[in-house]
Amino acid sequence: MSIRRGGLMSYNQKRIARWYFGGVASSIAALVTHPIDLMKVLMQTQAEKLSMMRTTQKILREQGVLALYNGISASMLRQYTYTLSRFGIYTVGSGMMDTSTMGSKTLLAAIAGGIGGYVGAPADLINVRLQNDVKMPMEKRRNYKHAIDGLVRITREEGWRSLFNGSSMTALRGMLMTVGQIAFYEQSKSSLVHLGMPENMGTYITASIISATVATTLTQPIDVVKTRRMNAAPGEYSGLADVFIKTSREGPLAFFKGYTPSLMRLMPHTVLLFLGLEFLRTRFGYLPEPKQVGPYYRYDDVDDD
């Protein structure tokens, strides 16, 4: 595929996103949404039932404001492994196959999400453990200094295979999340534009809200089980089936525990992610020649700026 270069930062809707833009945009969004993500994990793993507001107040009272960013190094590592992989694979794959239909978008997104889930499993494990430390008694905290320290200690203390504890669930969640986020975002944006909406920030936000809602609904049951499995003490669960069984005993709504904070975290994160991605695409993306079908750009003839 030949590429026509435009001027640096020159705005053009026809530009195509580079493979690494998703990871960059997601890391920026994560800096804003990390405290909400932390509250989501705490609500899913705590024994006592506290609202998001009361959980936040408890952490601020006992740990201080900086505790809201506990685990931020693992969150950044996760963005540059899990998110970078799934967005990168989707972007590259969409340049090699026709993604003009929802079915093809869904298939490619599922493949990208599954691979990204396995790649990002160690970072996801560290992310959950670091976030959960703030609610543990002092004597029971793991006290990882940062993400790399957590990776090293888990390898030494539990074996390298423990880094992939719950990786199958992470991969399954990655498949569903990527379908909800990327496939539904692309399809929603395309449909909104065909309905007459201009391709601008308002359309991006609307499509992002739709994709975030779908993604949260698809992934919440998996998210609850995955988080409990990753955070479990040795011997607490015999396997994933045991996690499902014990969770189901709490009632069907237990699988959607923390749904509101999950949606509250994912929605702004998804909106910021795609706004950032569209900004990067329209200013730093490349212009293809000849016409191709790919993500995050309009399907018409390509002109220079």
Side-chain angles (χ1 to χ4, degrees):
M1 175 176 62
S2 63
I3 298 174
R4 288 199 277 180
R5 306 287 180 180
L8 185 63
M9 288 193 69
S10 56
Y11 178 85
N12 193 324
Q13 275 288 357
K14 300 177 180 68
R15 291 180 180 271
I16 300 178
R18 300 181 187 276
W19 66 270
Y20 54 85
F21 282 178
V24 175
S26 184
S27 65
I28 296 173
L31 290 174
V32 179
T33 61
H34 184 80
I36 302 177
D37 192 24
L38 174 63
M39 293 302 104
K40 179 203 69 171
V41 173
L42 296 183
M43 290 184 69
Q44 288 176 340
T45 57
Q46 66 187 354
E48 54 181 332
K49 295 183 178 180
L50 297 177
S51 65
M52 183 178 181
M53 182 62 68
R54 291 187 61 188
T55 301
T56 304
Q57 291 174 345
K58 179 181 178 181
I59 296 302
L60 290 175
R61 182 175 61 253
E62 297 177 358
Q63 305 295 328
V65 176
L66 292 181
L68 296 177
Y69 279 91
N70 191 15
I72 189 63
S73 61
S75 180
M76 290 296 101
L77 179 62
R78 184 171 183 267
Q79 303 312 318
Y80 284 105
T81 53
Y82 167 69
T83 305
L84 180 65
S85 296
R86 61 197 184 96
F87 271 81
I89 292 171
Y90 186 92
T91 302
V92 173
S94 63
M96 302 170 63
M97 61 179 286
D98 182 2
T99 56
S100 59
T101 67
M102 186 58 187
S104 59
K105 290 184 180 73
T106 300
L107 176 61
L108 181 57
I111 294 172
I115 297 174
Y118 276 109
V119 172
D124 202 43
L125 174 63
I126 297 297
N127 188 42
V128 171
R129 287 190 175 186
L130 278 174
Q131 289 178 344
N132 195 52
D133 247 15
V134 298
K135 85 170 191 61
M136 301 289 288
M138 293 296 295
E139 65 275 8
K140 293 185 178 180
R141 292 183 181 180
R142 297 181 174 93
N143 293 318
Y144 298 145
K145 296 177 182 179
H146 43 69
I148 303 303
D149 179 55
L151 292 173
V152 173
R153 283 184 53 188
I154 289 177
T155 302
R156 288 177 178 174
E157 299 169 8
E158 304 175 36
W160 68 269
R161 292 184 179 181
S162 294
L163 291 172
F164 293 89
N165 187 20
S167 61
S168 58
M169 294 298 292
T170 304
L172 177 57
R173 182 184 184 276
M175 293 174 66
L176 296 174
M177 176 63 72
T178 308
V179 169
Q181 276 191 322
I182 301 181
F184 273 85
Y185 174 79
E186 277 209 308
Q187 189 66 32
S188 297
K189 186 180 78 169
S190 177
S191 298
L192 291 171
V193 170
H194 282 115
L195 287 174
M197 291 185 66
E199 194 164 342
N200 57 17
M201 183 180 294
T203 301
Y204 302 153
I205 292 175
T206 303
S208 298
I209 291 173
I210 293 172
S211 68
T213 303
V214 173
T216 302
T217 304
L218 289 175
T219 60
Q220 190 60 21
I222 300 297
D223 202 24
V224 170
V225 172
K226 176 184 68 71
T227 301
R228 292 190 177 191
R229 179 69 180 89
M230 282 185 169
N231 203 57
E236 184 175 352
Y237 297 113
S238 60
L240 291 178
D242 191 36
V243 182
F244 273 107
I245 292 173
K246 290 182 177 179
T247 303
S248 65
R249 290 173 182 169
E250 302 175 25
L253 292 181
F255 288 103
F256 289 91
K257 189 175 183 180
Y259 182 89
T260 299
S262 290
L263 183 60
M264 289 178 64
R265 180 203 67 85
L266 189 62
M267 187 171 293
H269 179 88
T270 302
V271 170
L272 292 173
L273 187 161
F274 282 112
L275 286 180
L277 183 56
E278 294 289 2
F279 175 85
L280 293 172
R281 175 184 68 82
T282 55
R283 289 163 176 79
F284 298 100
Y286 61 85
L287 295 170
E289 186 180 7
K291 182 174 67 175
Q292 298 209 11
V293 177
Y296 319 127
Y297 73 105
R298 296 165 64 182
Y299 308 131
D300 38 14
D301 294 333
V302 177
D303 298 317
D304 281 319
D305 300 320

